Amino acid sequence: MDGTLFQTNKILEISLEDTFNHLRSLNKWDTVTPIDKYRQIMGVPLPKVWETLLPYHSIEEREQTDAYFLERLIENIRDGKGALYPNVKEIFTFIKEHNCSIYIASNGLSQYLKTIVYYYNLDNWVTETFSIQQIDSLNKSDLVRSILDKYEITNGAVVGDRLSDINAAKANGLVAIGCNFDFAKDDELSQADLVIDDLNELKTILPKLKVHN
């Protein structure tokens, strides 16, 4: 979802600023908002995010911060401050017309994902959306495996912008398609089977892969 379908950067900074302003009001933060550090680790599960951004805070404080951040993200999505990447609905329509199923596997939390899916009507194309919360290991490779098992998928591709997506594809015998979008890193993309700069490029790639699931 983040950095591949949804332009998280449009709501990330304002939501993070809201959150750290909240921490400042509680006298639990007294320096600048660590937006750059967050951008560097974008894509990891949120518990690991707060371990990184709030290393000296208690687990309880991190959990409270996480809950507040989620509230701000959801509110900003509902206010229309976010956006899908160009051609998301167009490529989804193309994929469905070619008898392929679409699943979202994300490190985002369930409520956050549901808000995006609902706001942009992604259920018109997406069979099911899966959150890392559904997997005890918080490992995207395991999350993708659970999708393959549930839907008895034998071949397909994982399209994503971060190493966790590429690793999830390779660990499960799928094609790894890297997205050279906002949060992508060259050293991570170099490990993908293919790299795209626009989702519309999938129109020529997927038929060649003979992906049916």
Side-chain angles (χ1 to χ4, degrees):
M1 181 70 87
D2 294 312
T4 300
L5 300 176
F6 184 68
Q7 295 188 57
T8 316
N9 57 322
K10 289 186 176 293
I11 62 167
L12 175 66
E13 188 166 344
I14 54 176
S15 300
L16 205 64
E17 191 66 47
D18 289 343
T19 301
F20 278 84
N21 280 338
H22 178 65
L23 288 174
R24 291 183 190 101
S25 72
L26 300 174
N27 294 317
K28 293 182 178 180
W29 192 261
D30 60 4
T31 59
V32 297
T33 301
I35 182 69
D36 290 336
K37 183 176 288 188
Y38 191 11
R39 287 183 182 277
Q40 292 171 11
I41 60 173
M42 183 68 193
V44 304
L46 278 173
K48 295 187 181 300
V49 166
W50 301 116
E51 285 178 23
T52 303
L53 299 187
L54 303 174
Y56 305 113
H57 290 64
S58 68
I59 293 176
E60 182 182 4
E61 287 172 325
R62 291 175 192 163
E63 290 176 346
Q64 292 171 346
T65 302
D66 185 44
Y68 187 87
F69 181 60
L70 179 62
E71 289 176 9
R72 297 311 308 148
L73 285 171
I74 288 173
E75 192 63 30
N76 285 322
I77 293 166
R78 289 174 175 165
D79 286 345
K81 295 179 180 178
L84 297 177
Y85 277 97
N87 304 314
V88 167
K89 294 185 177 181
E90 182 178 347
I91 195 61
F92 274 6
T93 299
F94 173 86
I95 292 171
K96 294 293 286 186
E97 288 175 348
H98 284 73
N99 299 316
C100 291
S101 298
I102 302 168
Y103 309 89
I104 295 175
S106 174
N107 282 337
L109 301 180
S110 297
Q111 187 179 357
Y112 165 75
L113 298 173
K114 287 177 182 177
T115 303
I116 298 174
V117 168
Y118 178 80
Y119 187 86
Y120 295 102
N121 299 308
L122 297 184
D123 276 345
N124 289 338
W125 301 272
V126 177
T127 301
E128 189 172 351
T129 298
F130 293 81
S131 165
I132 201 69
Q133 280 183 299
Q134 297 168 240
I135 298 294
D136 291 338
S137 66
L138 297 181
N139 185 302
K140 186 171 278 190
S141 296
D142 295 337
L143 182 62
V144 170
R145 169 50 56 186
S146 72
I147 300 173
L148 300 183
D149 290 344
K150 178 174 181 177
Y151 287 95
E152 299 182 344
I153 298 169
T154 56
N155 69 321
V158 176
V159 182
D161 65 319
R162 298 308 302 268
L163 187 59
S164 61
D165 305 308
I166 296 167
N167 287 341
K170 295 191 172 184
N172 289 289
L174 305 175
V175 178
I177 302 176
C179 295
N180 188 21
F181 296 171
D182 293 306
F183 300 105
K185 295 183 178 181
D186 290 340
D187 59 331
E188 297 183 359
L189 291 177
S190 67
Q191 300 180 54
D193 296 313
L194 299 161
V195 177
I196 60 174
D197 296 308
D198 188 293
L199 290 172
N200 257 344
E201 294 177 49
L202 294 175
K203 289 182 178 180
T204 56
I205 292 173
L206 293 181
K208 294 177 182 178
L209 298 178
K210 297 182 180 180
V211 171
H212 301 297
N213 289 298

